[in-house]
Amino acid sequence: MVLNKESSLSRFQRHEGGGILMFVLVLFLLMALSIGMAVDFMRHEMARADLQNALDRGTLAAASLSQTAAIEIDEDGDGTWDTLTDAEIEANYENLVAEYMASRSVYRDRLDLDVTWTEDTNAKTIRASASYDLPTSFLQLIGKSRLTVQVDSFARQGFNDVELAMAFDISGSMVNNNVTVEGVERTRLEQAKIDAKAFVDDVFARDTLGDQITMSLVPYSSKVSIPKGMADAFTINPAPGATVLYEDFYCFDFDVADYTTTEMDTTIAREQFPLFKINNDHWTCPKAGNEIVPITRNKEKITDAIDALTRENWTSVYEGVKWAAAMLDPSMRAAQDEMRLAGLTDLNVAALPRDYSNTGEVIKVMVVMTDGRNT
C-alpha cells in the first residue's frame, strides 16, 4: 500500500478559513475613507456658505448709494475731499468689502479677494469674488491636501430719475382757517409750509448722487402766475381791452380742451388774463413771489420759495393741477430750454422734462397741497 501524504504548503493553499477577514479589512478601509471624504466635503460646503454670506454682506454694503467711505477721503484733514482715481476707488472698495468680511472666520491674509466697481448716472454696481484653500483631513490620504473655497457676489443699487411738481394752495382759506398739529395751532398755510418743506428735505436726501431729482413749485389761487422768463417762451396776446401786456403778472386762461391732456402747447396764442384787484392787496393774478418756480435741482430754491409764499384769493385747484402736470410733461421742454439758454434757470440740463417711460427710467410725481375746497 502506498500512502500519498499531502504537503503542508498544499494544504495551506487550499484552506479557506479566515479569508473573509481580509475582505472585511479592505471594505472597512474604503468605508472609513468614504466617511472621511464626506466630512471634508461637508466642511468645504460649510466654509463656502460662510464665505458667501460674508462676501454678500460686504458687497451689499459697498453697493449702497449712501456709502461714500470708498470714494471720499480727506488725507490732509483740512475738510476738503481729495479726488481719487478709479484704481484708488476700486482699491478702497476692496478694503471696504474686506472690513465687512472681517467678522467671519476667514482671515484676510488667507483670502484672495477681487472687487470691481462701476457707477453710472443713477446706479452703482459692485462685483466681487473671494477664494481660499481649505486644508483637508482625509482627502490628503489620496493626495488631495486642499480644497478651494470660491464664491462670487454681485450687488447693484439704482436710483430712478424722479421729476416732481408740487401744486401749492395759497388761497384765502389757507390763512382764514387754523389747524392744530401736535398741540400747536397754526394756519393751514403755515402748517402746509412745514409739511411741504419736510417732504422736500426727505425727497432730496435720497438723491445721494445729486442729479436724480428735479422739482418745480406751482403756487395757485384763482390763477397761476408764471415768471417772465417762462412767459417769453409762450405766445401771449394782451388781455381783452388792453393794448400791451401787464408787466410782472403773467396769467392766462385755458380752453376746455386743455384740461383733457397733460400737454402744454407753447406755440398757440393765448390771451393774458385781465388784471384787476379783487380785494385789499389781492389781484386776479398772483403777484411776484407767488409765481411758478421752474424745474430745478436746488432744494434750497424750492424751500425758500415755499417759505416766501403769501396768501392770495379764491381757489382754482384744477388750474394748479393743470400747470403742475404740464411741468412734468415733455411738451414744456421748449420753454425750459429757452429759459436755460437765456440763463433764467439754475439747471443747465437739456431735455427736461424727460419723455414718459414704461421701463421705470423716470418717475413723474405730482403732489397737490390744498385744503380741498375749490371755489
Side-chain angles (χ1 to χ4, degrees):
M1 177 186 288
V2 179
L3 296 177
N4 186 15
K5 292 185 178 180
E6 187 177 20
S7 67
S8 298
L9 180 60
S10 297
R11 288 197 305 272
F12 177 78
Q13 288 177 335
R14 290 187 295 105
H15 186 63
E16 296 180 357
I20 191 67
L21 181 62
M22 294 300 297
F23 175 76
V24 171
L25 181 60
V26 172
L27 187 61
F28 174 79
L29 291 175
L30 291 174
M31 291 176 61
L33 182 59
S34 298
I35 294 173
M37 291 172 61
V39 171
D40 279 337
F41 287 135
M42 181 178 66
R43 290 177 55 237
H44 176 270
E45 177 57 24
M46 291 177 62
R48 188 206 64 79
D50 183 67
L51 183 61
Q52 185 71 69
N53 289 336
L55 186 63
D56 287 346
R57 182 170 176 261
T59 304
L60 287 171
S64 171
L65 291 176
S66 61
Q67 177 62 261
T68 59
I71 61 176
E72 294 181 340
I73 187 170
D74 182 10
E75 291 183 336
D76 303 324
D78 59 357
T80 59
W81 299 107
D82 301 317
T83 302
L84 303 180
T85 65
D86 286 349
E88 289 173 327
I89 293 175
E90 199 155 279
N92 286 347
Y93 272 122
E94 184 169 310
N95 291 330
L96 181 64
V97 172
E99 288 177 10
Y100 274 87
M101 298 177 70
S103 62
R104 317 301 268 202
S105 58
V106 179
Y107 294 101
R108 183 72 174 94
D109 56 357
R110 292 175 54 195
L111 191 66
D112 182 13
L113 179 64
D114 181 58
V115 177
T116 58
W117 152 82
T118 57
E119 190 167 309
D120 50 33
T121 303
N122 64 339
K124 179 166 60 174
T125 301
I126 301 292
R127 299 177 186 272
S129 62
S131 64
Y132 70 98
D133 290 334
L134 177 71
T136 61
S137 299
F138 295 93
L139 286 175
Q140 58 184 326
L141 298 175
I142 58 172
K144 189 71 173 176
S145 61
R146 295 181 181 276
L147 289 175
T148 299
V149 182
Q150 183 170 353
V151 297
D152 298 297
S153 185
F154 167 89
R156 181 179 188 273
Q157 183 174 13
F159 189 94
N160 290 318
D161 290 333
V162 178
E163 295 181 4
L164 290 157
M166 178 180 286
F168 198 110
D169 188 346
I170 53 173
S171 63
S173 62
M174 294 290 287
V175 172
N176 298 334
N177 299 282
N178 292 351
V179 292
T180 300
V181 177
E182 296 181 350
V184 179
E185 185 177 7
R186 302 182 181 93
T187 66
R188 291 178 179 177
L189 182 60
E190 290 171 337
Q191 186 60 49
K193 287 182 178 183
I194 293 172
D195 295 336
K197 289 189 295 182
F199 171 78
V200 172
D201 287 340
D202 183 59
V203 168
F204 277 91
R206 299 170 188 271
D207 186 4
T208 55
L209 299 180
D211 61 358
Q212 266 69 62
I213 290 178
T214 56
M215 189 172 185
S216 54
L217 178 67
V218 181
Y220 68 91
S221 54
S222 59
K223 303 299 292 179
V224 172
S225 180
I226 61 177
K228 186 180 187 306
M230 183 182 291
D232 290 339
F234 288 81
T235 301
I236 305 178
N237 295 327
T243 57
V244 295
L245 293 177
Y246 303 117
E247 294 292 332
D248 300 325
F249 289 86
Y250 295 96
C251 297
F252 51 77
D253 263 338
F254 291 112
D255 294 327
V256 173
D258 288 320
Y259 291 102
T260 65
T261 177
T262 59
E263 293 182 4
M264 178 70 74
D265 191 341
T266 59
T267 63
I268 64 173
R270 301 178 186 273
E271 284 188 345
Q272 192 174 26
F273 193 74
L275 181 64
F276 55 89
K277 186 178 289 189
I278 300 175
N279 57 43
N280 299 326
D281 191 33
H282 307 303
W283 298 77
T284 50
C285 185
K287 54 186 172 290
N290 287 340
E291 57 197 12
I292 285 180
V293 176
I295 302 170
T296 181
R297 287 196 181 118
N298 188 329
K299 183 193 75 171
E300 286 71 26
K301 187 173 184 178
I302 295 291
T303 54
D304 289 348
I306 291 173
D307 262 334
L309 291 175
T310 56
R311 67 153 289 187
E312 296 285 351
N313 212 47
W314 303 109
T315 313
S316 294
V317 179
Y318 48 85
E319 182 143 342
V321 167
K322 169 61 185 178
W323 269 109
M327 298 303 292
L328 300 172
D329 194 273
S331 60
M332 280 295 290
R333 192 177 298 162
Q336 178 70 16
D337 279 346
E338 187 164 330
M339 287 186 290
R340 178 178 62 85
L341 295 174
L344 300 174
T345 172
D346 58 3
L347 192 60
N348 190 26
V349 180
L352 289 175
R354 295 173 178 81
D355 291 333
Y356 293 109
S357 170
N358 293 324
T359 61
E361 295 176 1
V362 59
I363 298 173
K364 295 176 182 279
V365 180
M366 177 169 59
V367 179
V368 183
M369 306 285 289
T370 181
D371 59 3
R373 188 181 180 193
N374 188 72
T375 56

